Amino acid sequence: MLFKHNAKQARQTNPAPAMPHTYDYARPALTVDLVVFAFDDTDPELKVMLIERGLNPFKGQWALPGGFVHVGEAVDAAARRELEEETGLKKIYLEQLGTYGAPDRDPREHVVTVAHFALVNLHGHTVQASTDAANAAWFPVVDPPTLAFDHPQILDDALTRLRNKVRYVPLGFELLPPRFPLRSLQSLYETVLGKELDKRNFRKKILQMDLLIETNQIEKDVAHRAAKLYKFDKKKYDRMTKKGFNFEL
Amino acid sequence: MLFKHNAKQARQTNPAPAMPHTYDYARPALTVDLVVFAFDDTDPELKVMLIERGLNPFKGQWALPGGFVHVGEAVDAAARRELEEETGLKKIYLEQLGTYGAPDRDPREHVVTVAHFALVNLHGHTVQASTDAANAAWFPVVDPPTLAFDHPQILDDALTRLRNKVRYVPLGFELLPPRFPLRSLQSLYETVLGKELDKRNFRKKILQMDLLIETNQIEKDVAHRAAKLYKFDKKKYDRMTKKGFNFEL
DNA sequence: CCAAAAGTGTTAAAACTACACCCATGA
DNA sequence: TCATGGGTGTAGTTTTAACACTTTTGG
């Protein structure tokens, strides 16, 4: 596992007793897959979580984490369940990305998957490539390993969505710890958008939205002047959104 | 049917022989649903296509058109198939909206549906509420009848998507005939965005994008000065998009 | 000749972009 | 005292928003 707790392996959690079910018409199988992004502040780069497959097809290759949707379980709930199993974290930002249903995307049979993307912040958690027993690891999104199934496409779509959405929805904060210096926020935007931003203009713009609360804390353990830490005022954002405000970087 | 040809009814097109299929684990059923929008230039208002249900559950109520995804058929292909069956039109703009998978959304069993939204233009086709045998009809999106299943939610989400997307993707043209006067385009934007736009500013902005080709035709049968007709230069738009251009109204 | 919509420029305000230096801190 | 990033303002340019009249056409 990537984080401290020891959740069960994900791809094996189909729970119901193996009692056959019969339908008049053939049905595709239904799964969820997860594109879990994290931002590495120190690199800085965007990472994606991948799982090394223990079974065929694509045994030994890397793939997005995911699993079957149980009957009677909401699709989004299935995604959240898988996400918690993989990361051990609750309250993670999660949204549906899209559904991938080409009949040949899984060589075994027709498997339709509902892809989601999630944003986590790494806090104090160590991030390293290729960690432990479960063979989950973080990879740079710009240079991932060969991926199983149509996961390259899904990853690409997720990245496109993130890049577009981050400009007009305050998603960036989901990738940072609750309190962060402005430099981290700028660095995140620069990484996601793939271009440099002017420091003064960036600070001016983000501060005059009046959505960041200045805390009385400052950075620790930095070898230079410590920056003030800010937190995002989500409640205020929600209120302003209802009144027609548009976040726009 | 809404249009001239006579396609088969949609909800009955599950084709394979009724030969039972058995799986180790229960599977949700998988369907596609369609939110088909059209713009009525003369009203002007946005319309959505609905079907009156002939069977339970929700018999006699209105619902979004849709049907089952066949095994071996891509999900998006299923949506397009249903769309063609309903409208008789090919080459319609179609995109995936999202997947709705709450276990109780269909009272019979767990049915997961992949919703799509489509944009058609009504050309010379007559538009009227409650037409013919198949009981398909256009309704104003702002005041639809009571809808079956979770279709109110889906319709609402589709509308939200359209309103947001129309601002930065040239979707509007899909709702107009190939050649249209600027007034129709403006009227469409005003309807979708729900606010009035300044005529001079609108024309200035849209024309200086240089994506509209002035044709040598003018409106016919209008009781006032006839306006020039324009067409959208999709090829140029595609080229410009690749070079980093962003449509933005 | 009337009604209805087409078509057309200018100006003021706001937003955006580019740009450089001093300050605080820890090593 | 040096290296590192924190923090700050202004001026030129571009973009947006507000606004009214003349022209054309059919009835």
Side-chain angles (χ1 to χ4, degrees), chain A residues 30-186:
Chain A
L30 190 65
T31 60
V32 288
D33 281 307
L34 295 167
V35 183
V36 186
F37 289 121
F39 176 63
D40 188 344
D41 192 25
T42 55
D43 252 346
E45 67 177 9
L46 205 55
K47 310 266 196 192
V48 60
M49 182 197 283
L50 300 175
I51 303 281
E52 192 175 11
R53 287 184 58 79
L55 299 170
N56 269 319
F58 300 104
K59 184 173 176 176
Q61 270 191 46
W62 294 93
L64 298 172
F68 286 95
V69 176
H70 306 158
V71 162
E73 177 187 45
V75 171
D76 296 340
R80 192 160 290 280
R81 171 176 54 75
E82 293 288 343
L83 179 59
E84 290 181 7
E85 283 172 5
E86 295 298 338
T87 64
L89 297 176
K90 297 183 179 237
K91 295 187 186 174
I92 290 178
Y93 180 85
L94 179 67
E95 75 170 49
Q96 200 185 98
L97 174 63
T99 296
Y100 295 77
D104 58 353
R105 57 176 295 282
D106 188 311
R108 292 166 295 187
E109 65 162 327
H110 192 181
V111 178
V112 172
T113 196
V114 185
H116 290 70
F117 88 85
L119 304 176
V120 304
N121 71 74
L122 267 0
H123 278 301
H125 297 270
T126 335
V127 184
Q128 359 170 259
S130 230
T131 51
D132 54 20
N135 273 335
W138 294 103
F139 289 87
V141 290
V142 291
D143 184 28
T146 304
L147 292 179
F149 305 105
D150 54 357
H151 291 184
Q153 179 69 51
I154 296 175
L155 175 57
D156 199 60
D157 291 349
L159 197 50
T160 299
R161 171 93 135 246
L162 177 61
R163 284 199 230 271
N164 288 328
K165 200 158 181 177
V166 83
R167 280 188 295 185
Y168 60 94
V169 178
L171 288 185
F173 305 104
E174 307 290 344
L175 290 163
L176 295 176
R179 287 152 192 253
F180 51 84
L182 289 182
R183 172 65 210 172
S184 292
L185 187 62
Q186 180 176 346

Side-chain angles (χ1 to χ4, degrees), chain A residues 93 119 121 165-182 184-185 188-189 202 205-217 228-242 245-249:
Chain A
Y93 180 85
L119 304 176
N121 71 74
K165 200 158 181 177
V166 83
R167 280 188 295 185
Y168 60 94
V169 178
L171 288 185
F173 305 104
E174 307 290 344
L175 290 163
L176 295 176
R179 287 152 192 253
F180 51 84
L182 289 182
S184 292
L185 187 62
L188 186 163
Y189 274 97
F202 178 82
K205 181 138 192 188
I206 201 89
L207 286 175
Q208 78 188 14
M209 283 185 197
D210 215 28
L211 285 173
L212 295 189
I213 300 169
E214 187 178 327
T215 71
N216 49 15
Q217 291 173 267
K228 288 180 203 156
L229 298 183
Y230 290 82
K231 56 182 182 181
F232 175 62
D233 192 342
K234 181 151 175 40
K235 282 180 193 151
K236 182 166 186 183
Y237 171 70
D238 290 339
R239 263 184 281 123
M240 288 168 72
T241 299
K242 277 180 197 149
F245 167 80
N246 275 313
F247 183 90
E248 180 105 12
L249 186 104

Side-chain angles (χ1 to χ4, degrees), chain A residues 21 23-24 27 96 99 109, chain B residues 21 23 27 96 99 109:
Chain A
H21 293 261
Y23 306 102
D24 288 348
R27 297 183 171 188
Q96 200 185 98
T99 296
E109 65 162 327
Chain B
H21 292 261
Y23 307 102
R27 297 182 172 188
Q96 201 186 97
T99 296
E109 64 161 328

